[in-house]
Amino acid sequence: MREGMRKPKAIIVVGSIAGISCTKALILAGWDVVVIEKIRGPPTGNPTGAGIALHPLSQKIVKSWLHQPDLLHNITLPLTIDQNRAVDQEKNICRILARDENFNCLQAHWTDLHSLIYNTLPPEIFFGVTCTSLSAFLTTNQLSMSKLRILKLMRYTGYCAWMGVFDFSENENSETIQGIRKAYPELGNGVHGDSATMKVSSDMIKKMHQEAEKIWVPEFARVIKETKEPFLNLIYDCDPLTQIYWDNVVLIGDAAHPITPHCARSTNMAIADAAVLGKCLERWGPENLHSALEEHQSVRLPVTTKQVLHSRRVGQIKLGLPTPDREPFDPNTASPEDCEILKQRRLPFFDDVPSILE
């Protein structure tokens, strides 16, 4: 930016990790940023929260945003194994379908990662306002909100996931925990196989517990039973968009590419989006905003398109649903070659690092 020029301004609508990542990247690129979020301040909910698998590229990006890069390791645990297992309901035994012992990811809780990035930002840029679900807007003059119709394109996948937080911090040596560690000795090192949260009735929970006893090994079924306040997530994604910016508006994170959770990509994609966008804006300068957004789109859209479709396909395979090119997946008869697609490493662009970030 030429000396004497006023800083360009960006308005980030709805923070989450996508929004605060974008905020950090834009500040580093020389932009003034305002964040419009429902709640000002870091998250104050459950201290554990949802788990996130951070890919090596995401780790590198987040570390570059921190004054003390080692802080990332203080809130994470190694996630070195990617493993998919199937349970034989009749014999009540497990079979390993696919395994990668060089996964090289870190596991973080959503709230911890959000707070880590949030605490690097000036608090005065946040405004507590309830607004739309779009993740990011950029403007050098006025805010454009003409593309809200994109939100209508969300696609229900046809299935949902039971979720819950099992807190054993006050009794780490309980019989339940000893049992699950015996049944799943590598649980802390592996991944065992965006949504709308739905409250559930006691009858629904009872039925879920009954199904768990039929499907899972007893040790895991017991953990499910002892998990307080389980809830349902309806799984959504979106057919890939053909563009992710219009005029001075750009979509970031799940607003640009909602994805199913089967490939652990949502947060990783959002962090990469933010980093690429920041570098493009820094390279082109505010006077060439269109060129910057065009480059951002050309870098990210081919990647996110393939990753969304691949994650959708993996979800269909894991659930035994038919896909256009194959019969429903049967874990009891699947060959090792058939199971390879379940590995996270099979995701398109899994190890890709955009040249602008090198």
Side-chain angles (χ1 to χ4, degrees):
M1 186 164 51
R2 292 191 298 271
E3 188 175 351
M5 286 185 62
R6 294 180 60 186
K7 279 187 176 184
K9 287 188 176 292
I11 300 176
I12 311 295
V13 182
V14 181
S16 190
I17 289 179
I20 61 170
S21 295
C22 190
T23 301
K24 185 65 178 183
L26 266 60
I27 289 175
L28 292 175
W31 285 61
D32 277 339
V33 181
V34 171
V35 182
I36 300 175
E37 178 64 286
K38 183 177 180 180
I39 300 175
R40 296 183 64 178
T44 57
N46 191 295
T48 52
I52 295 171
L54 281 178
H55 185 272
L57 176 60
S58 298
Q59 298 171 35
K60 179 180 177 181
I61 293 170
V62 172
K63 285 181 179 179
S64 73
W65 294 342
L66 305 176
H67 299 302
Q68 297 176 275
D70 287 345
L71 290 177
L72 179 63
H73 291 281
N74 293 344
I75 67 161
T76 58
L77 293 171
L79 193 59
T80 57
I81 297 174
D82 171 24
Q83 180 169 285
N84 289 270
R85 307 206 305 184
V87 177
D88 187 320
Q89 298 182 30
E90 294 182 358
K91 299 179 180 178
N92 205 25
I93 58 175
C94 292
R95 173 194 171 201
I96 295 177
L97 301 177
R99 180 181 172 94
D100 179 0
E101 298 190 11
N102 298 293
F103 194 42
N104 199 25
C105 287
L106 293 177
Q107 183 172 343
H109 292 304
W110 186 95
T111 49
D112 290 340
L113 181 62
H114 186 285
S115 296
L116 185 68
I117 302 172
Y118 179 92
N119 289 333
T120 70
L121 303 172
E124 64 271 14
I125 68 175
F126 290 86
F127 289 83
V129 179
T130 300
C131 51
T132 76
S133 296
L134 292 178
S135 286
F137 294 101
L138 296 175
T139 177
T140 53
N141 39 57
Q142 62 181 6
L143 179 65
S144 170
M145 298 181 66
S146 61
K147 301 301 173 181
L148 296 181
R149 63 181 181 270
I150 293 169
L151 298 177
K152 299 178 181 179
L153 302 180
M154 294 291 288
R155 166 189 170 274
Y156 176 51
T157 59
Y159 54 88
C160 56
W162 279 97
M163 301 184 69
V165 176
F166 183 76
D167 186 358
F168 59 92
S169 57
E170 297 182 0
N171 192 5
E172 296 189 15
N173 295 315
S174 68
E175 184 179 346
T176 300
I177 294 304
Q178 290 179 350
I180 197 67
R181 283 175 172 161
K182 181 179 179 181
Y184 295 90
E186 294 166 335
L187 187 63
N189 300 317
V191 176
H192 298 267
D194 276 307
S195 59
T197 300
M198 173 180 163
K199 291 185 177 180
V200 292
S201 66
S202 58
D203 287 342
M204 293 172 67
I205 295 175
K206 181 178 179 181
K207 184 176 180 181
M208 182 267 289
H209 287 167
Q210 292 171 345
E211 291 297 319
E213 290 181 342
K214 297 177 183 177
I215 295 172
W216 296 103
V217 295
E219 294 84 357
F220 195 65
R222 183 170 180 177
V223 170
I224 293 174
K225 281 188 173 182
E226 295 187 18
T227 298
K228 297 179 180 180
E229 300 181 358
F231 57 92
L232 274 175
N233 264 8
L234 308 181
I235 308 302
Y236 284 83
D237 67 3
C238 178
D239 288 334
L241 303 176
T242 57
Q243 64 184 98
I244 53 176
Y245 86 93
W246 297 261
D247 301 324
N248 54 0
V249 178
V250 60
L251 301 180
I252 298 294
D254 283 346
H257 38 68
I259 187 171
T260 62
H262 304 287
C263 294
R265 294 310 298 174
S266 178
T267 299
N268 290 291
M269 293 164 79
I271 291 172
D273 285 349
V276 169
L277 179 60
K279 291 297 184 182
C280 289
L281 292 172
E282 184 179 11
R283 170 185 288 180
W284 288 96
E287 63 275 17
N288 296 305
L289 179 61
H290 175 81
S291 297
L293 298 185
E294 185 65 30
E295 181 179 26
H296 169 73
Q297 178 172 273
S298 69
V299 172
R300 292 300 295 153
L301 198 56
V303 175
T304 59
T305 293
K306 289 191 175 182
Q307 291 186 344
V308 165
L309 294 177
H310 181 85
S311 185
R312 177 186 296 179
R313 185 165 184 260
V314 170
Q316 292 170 328
I317 291 172
K318 285 186 174 183
L319 291 166
L321 302 175
T323 61
D325 61 337
R326 65 185 299 163
E327 294 294 320
F329 181 81
D330 184 348
N332 295 316
T333 60
S335 67
E337 292 75 19
D338 291 334
C339 295
E340 279 292 305
I341 194 173
L342 301 178
K343 290 183 178 179
Q344 303 278 352
R345 196 172 297 280
R346 291 295 301 273
L347 181 81
F349 301 100
F350 181 81
D351 288 320
D352 180 71
V353 178
S355 58
I356 197 169
L357 299 182
E358 291 179 342

